[in-house]
Amino acid sequence: MTVKIAPSWQSRLQTEFDKPYFERLTAFVRQEYSTATCFPPGREIFNAFNLCPFDNVKVVIIGQDPYHERGQAEGLCFSVKPGVAMPPSLINIFKEIADDIGTPMPPDGSLVRWARQGVLLLNATLTVREHLANSHSRAGWQTFTDAVIQTLARERSHIVYMLWGSFARGKAWMIDRSRNLVLEAAHPSPLSANRGGWFGCHHFSQCNQYLTQNNLEPIVW
């Protein structure tokens, strides 16, 4: 099966695209997009990959599934398009960045600028039906995105994996901690963050320190 995705990912993920589960997943997604309102727009489903080629990946942030209200999702976890009100989790991410490294709150919530610096903003599920969180979570996307994480873990080293909340932390078993940095914290959503474990995690300064130690350009958060 041919998938419109950045060539550096295409060559490494083609074996996944050719598997029966991915064919079923593709049929499901096409059916959903043709009969219901789904997000992100079809051309942005693989935005995380197209904005961050395989060899450019320095950081991986794992989300669960896209925002499910109109105009929010742009194919990058936690990110919303310019002009869209920032969700509470994203506000808390920016608050922690400000406290950790002093970067002020940005004018909008688009994280495209992070992706272009080598941050793979990967949702475990890449599509969702409007108003219905996790509505596509059992369609096969997680088999695919787990394969993405395993491919990175197998072929690359010195990547910083930021795992926020129990769902993302459940992916840690796929990552070799001897060759990468795994940072774990509570989820930045208000429900979790206000119970402790998010604010003061200092993930962003720890990430940049690790990248610098490994002769990699730090991220401008």
Side-chain angles (χ1 to χ4, degrees):
M1 175 178 292
T2 301
V3 175
K4 292 182 179 178
I5 196 170
S8 64
W9 289 103
Q10 176 87 48
S11 60
R12 290 170 174 86
L13 299 174
Q14 187 60 52
T15 54
E16 295 301 311
F17 299 147
D18 290 337
K19 291 179 179 178
Y21 88 84
F22 200 88
E23 293 185 12
R24 293 192 297 270
L25 170 61
T26 300
F28 170 83
V29 169
R30 286 174 176 163
Q31 176 70 12
E32 282 285 284
Y33 273 72
S34 67
T35 59
T37 300
C38 297
F39 305 120
R43 66 184 179 279
E44 296 178 355
I45 291 173
F46 294 105
N47 241 9
F49 304 91
N50 295 332
L51 289 168
C52 185
F54 182 86
D55 293 324
N56 289 11
V57 177
K58 295 188 285 188
V59 181
V60 178
I61 299 176
I62 299 174
Q64 197 155 352
D65 74 334
Y67 295 121
H68 51 81
E69 299 301 331
R70 192 174 298 271
Q72 290 182 305
E74 60 176 354
L76 307 170
C77 70
F78 293 104
S79 181
V80 292
K81 295 183 179 184
V84 175
M86 294 186 201
S89 294
L90 186 55
I91 291 172
N92 283 343
I93 289 170
F94 288 137
K95 284 181 178 178
E96 174 59 23
I97 290 171
D99 290 342
D100 187 14
I101 59 176
T103 302
M105 186 78 69
D108 64 66
S110 176
L111 303 181
V112 167
R113 62 189 180 279
W114 291 6
R116 287 178 172 154
Q117 294 179 76
V119 182
L120 182 67
L121 295 156
L122 181 65
N123 274 317
T125 298
L126 299 188
T127 58
V128 69
R129 188 186 282 206
E130 185 177 23
H131 308 316
L132 294 173
N134 296 313
S135 50
H136 292 180
S137 63
R138 297 183 179 181
W141 277 126
Q142 291 188 40
T143 302
F144 171 70
T145 52
D146 280 359
V148 170
I149 296 167
Q150 291 170 322
T151 300
L152 278 168
R154 183 173 61 251
E155 297 190 27
R156 294 284 313 281
S157 299
H158 306 311
I159 290 176
V160 180
Y161 292 85
M162 294 183 172
L163 309 181
W164 301 336
S166 58
F167 178 84
R169 294 169 81 170
K171 308 292 184 181
W173 66 271
M174 294 182 274
I175 305 161
D176 184 348
R177 293 174 186 259
S178 70
R179 298 190 295 115
N180 303 278
L181 177 63
V182 178
L183 299 174
E184 300 183 44
H187 195 277
S189 67
L191 185 64
S192 297
N194 293 334
R195 290 203 301 257
W198 168 253
F199 293 114
C201 69
H202 301 296
H203 278 191
F204 305 94
S205 58
Q206 290 182 65
C207 170
N208 280 354
Q209 181 180 21
Y210 180 84
L211 294 176
T212 300
Q213 288 171 347
N214 287 282
N215 300 312
L216 297 166
E217 192 73 22
I219 305 299
V220 179
W221 298 107

